Amino acid sequence: MRWRFSPARLFAVLSKEFVQMRRDKITFVMMIGVPIMQLLIFGYAINSDPRHLPTLVEMADEGPVTRAILSGMQSSTYFDFQGIVTSPEAGDKALRDGSANFVVVVPPNFERDILRGLSPEILLSADASDPTAVGGGAAAMASIINTAVTQTLTGPLSYAAGTPPPISVVIHRQYNPEGNTSINIVPGLLGVILSLTMVMITAVAIVRETEKGTMEALIATPVRPLEVMLGKILPYVLVGYVQTIVFLIASQVLFGVPFIGSRLAFFVGFNLYIVVNLALGFLISTVARSQMQAMQISFFTLLPTILLSGFMFPFAAMPGWAQAIGSAIPATHFLRLVRKVMLKGADITDILGDLTNISLIMLVIVAVALKRYRQTLD
Amino acid sequence: MTAELAISVRGLTKIFDGRKVVDDFDMEVPKGAIYGFLGPNGSGKTTTIRMMCGLLTPDAGAGHCLGFDILSEQNSIKENVGYMTQRFSLYADLTIRENLDFIARMYRLNSRKSRVSEALVNLGLADRANQLAGTLSGGWKQRLALAACMIHKPALLLLDEPTAGVDPKARRDFWDEIRKLSAQGVTVLVSTHYMDEAVQCDFIAYIAYGKKLIAGPASDIPGMIGLHTWRVTGPALADLELALRKDPDVGQVARFGAVLHLSGTDKAKLLALATRYNAEGVYTWVHKEAELEEAFIYLMTGVEDNFVSTKS
Ligand SMILES: Nc1ncnc2c1ncn2[C@@H]1O[C@H](COP(=O)(O)OP(=O)(O)OP(=O)(O)O)[C@@H](O)[C@H]1O
Ligand SMILES: [Mg+2]
């Protein structure tokens, strides 16, 4: 029959969309520019190796080893000593109000206990609410102490430098026990960027047709809903590809984020994620009456994506209702998927569960979108 | 019966936000006719046309368009109907040629390239084919839109105020084109606010507040209303016009240059008035056949009254 799905018509819609995209220079620049911008801006927050973080010391003892440790910390450039606190309460307060990222606590009789081989504990309290900030310093602690020990426990004191280790380091991460690392945030950012641009661009591109009145003439022709839907969505899949490639390169070059898992798994996962976001954009376009509304609704969907997907806060630490909402968000599953693949070396069989979840969400969205998108102006 | 009718709809009703925008609307458009669709702003013309070509689902009513059911065979209707929207609805950021080409591809036309080129030549835009459609002047946009909706040579044209903002010469060309198409058997339903276009139609339907007030062959309309008109000439017409407007016996006063046309449905009262004035000898009153012009002005005034009475 003549009015069945026509690839030729789909292709016509596609190429029209590309021409329009090319002519709309500002949007085009935004599509590529926004992800780079976001990456750079977030780059400060996710800078995996920040230095000169304000540090306080609570000293209940003093001696050559303590001095060597403190000077080693200072010269590691991770820590920047700002002063001394005299009580645990004062240290906690400084961490809480953000005036310090670290508090080093040297316990009483520290020097004596080292020499007695009691392996006293030196405590590094860190404000881990910004886990990326404190990760580097915390990690460097062990080697700083090692160096300090080998420098000071020489000659007659060298007996104390052996086993058991003369000093044990206790790192106390406050406010964020899960301690997401910087590397954890980068893949999440990909989910957020893709979601923002894909949902918004699709919704706006479609609503623009309604707002400018071109939709009326378009659907007065024999074009089928599926042809319009695919024709408008597919060009932005390509945009999603470009964004992802730009993003992957930038995150590797600028932040040294590894990619150790299966590329195929990533490819499958991110395609699915792009499609689900485009479908969501399409759904929004069937609700929004103007480009402005489309934009606002898109931003509205962005909030849970950022807050409840595990991007901002550890998913496991969220209350039950928030987890329930989060589970319905594609980004939640995409985040897990990407972290597994990029950071934990997962392959396709490891992410089947996440793929299934995203597919289910997509089915629901597409079903609602197709139901709402009618070939009429009602 | 449907064989001779391009459009036949019954009881079309459309409700927007609880308001009956089109109310129990019937229309029969014979094949090959030029059918004028008139009515004041917001009377429901666009909504009716949209329902007839399958862009809106009526809340009640049924009918056929080119023999296809308007409720279930929208796809077939779309293949065979050319619909020109009231608002410019081509892509402003595509060129003239790209727009025509895109529409041609939607209809999957064979020999698309030559059809597009032909349309461009007919339109007189061949040398501007690569200009962006958004940069055309208002009148040219209308002409481009018309060319676009005719590119697949439809059997039925639904034109929603196609000549709004088009200059008189282009409008005449446009109507020449319409008559040519009609002679070839194309049916044209055209909505308009222009009297001079209405008089060119074979049939006319007048709609107000969603209800059809009158419909029929254009020449029968004045007779159907039962309108009687006098032509008045004389000095200081403006004063007379003011005086007559206050006279309840005179249905309607319209000024055509140095002539006043008085119309009303009550022939006896008007005749008495005419005799009185003619006796005074200042003004000359001559009875004439009511024409479409008077009929429309009469219809519109009637509608206003109707609206006032329903409101209060
Ligand atoms: N999508 C819609 N939602 C709500 N109301 C609508 C919608 N479309 C039209 N209307 C209302 O329906 C009424 C009829 O509109 P329509 O466009 O059919 O009038 P029209 O006769 O074409 O007027 P005009 O001569 O100004 O073009 C108007 O009051 C309009 O506000
Ligand atoms: Mg209208």
Side-chain angles (χ1 to χ4, degrees), chain A residues 63-85:
Chain A
V65 182
T66 311
R67 276 195 298 275
I69 291 175
L70 294 186
S71 83
M73 285 172 76
Q74 180 82 29
S75 58
S76 78
T77 71
Y78 282 112
F79 307 92
D80 189 10
F81 286 107
Q82 309 260 309
I84 289 182
V85 286

Side-chain angles (χ1 to χ4, degrees), chain B residues 63-93:
Chain B
H64 287 82
C65 194
L66 294 174
F68 300 110
D69 192 305
I70 60 165
L71 296 176
S72 59
E73 296 177 296
Q74 288 106 330
N75 290 326
S76 306
I77 294 178
K78 286 173 181 178
E79 295 270 0
N80 297 291
V81 169
Y83 170 45
M84 176 172 167
T85 56
Q86 178 171 4
R87 201 175 147 198
F88 181 68
S89 56
L90 295 177
Y91 297 96
D93 48 356

Side-chain angles (χ1 to χ4, degrees), chain A residues 2-3 6 9 11-12 16 20 23 209 211-214 216-217 219 221-222 224 375-378, chain B residues 14 50 55-57 75-76 78-79 83 85 87 89-91 93-94 98 102 105-108:
Chain A
R2 284 207 59 188
W3 54 81
S6 148
R9 240 170 5 215
F11 184 72
K16 182 215 85 181
Q20 289 187 301
R23 299 228 167 108
E209 294 243 7
E211 200 178 309
K212 296 231 162 129
T214 50
E216 190 178 356
I219 65 175
T221 72
R224 308 297 303 127
Q375 195 75 338
T376 59
L377 298 165
D378 294 88
Chain B
K14 185 73 199 176
R50 283 174 175 167
L55 289 186
L56 277 178
T57 319
N75 290 326
S76 306
K78 286 173 181 178
E79 295 270 0
Y83 170 45
T85 56
R87 201 175 147 198
S89 56
L90 295 177
Y91 297 96
D93 48 356
L94 295 187
E98 284 165 348
F102 177 68
R105 289 168 89 168
M106 291 300 102
Y107 290 99
R108 292 192 284 166

Side-chain angles (χ1 to χ4, degrees), chain B residues 16-17 19 21 40-47 50 86 161 193:
Chain B
F16 280 129
D17 314 318
R19 206 161 54 87
V21 167
N41 290 135
S43 52
K45 301 183 295 295
T46 301
T47 308
R50 283 174 175 167
Q86 178 171 4
E161 297 188 30
H193 290 295

Side-chain angles (χ1 to χ4, degrees), chain A residues 68-144:
Chain A
I69 291 175
L70 294 186
S71 83
M73 285 172 76
Q74 180 82 29
S75 58
S76 78
T77 71
Y78 282 112
F79 307 92
D80 189 10
F81 286 107
Q82 309 260 309
I84 289 182
V85 286
T86 48
S87 70
E89 290 76 22
D92 280 345
K93 184 174 168 298
L95 286 181
R96 203 163 42 237
D97 66 27
S99 56
N101 282 74
F102 293 104
V103 177
V104 184
V105 183
V106 181
N109 305 324
F110 182 65
E111 299 278 341
R112 193 195 68 194
D113 288 352
I114 294 173
L115 297 182
R116 287 187 182 174
L118 292 178
S119 194
E121 287 179 351
I122 185 164
L123 175 69
L124 181 70
S125 278
D127 170 11
S129 66
D130 185 1
T132 58
V134 299
M141 229 14 216
S143 74
I144 290 171

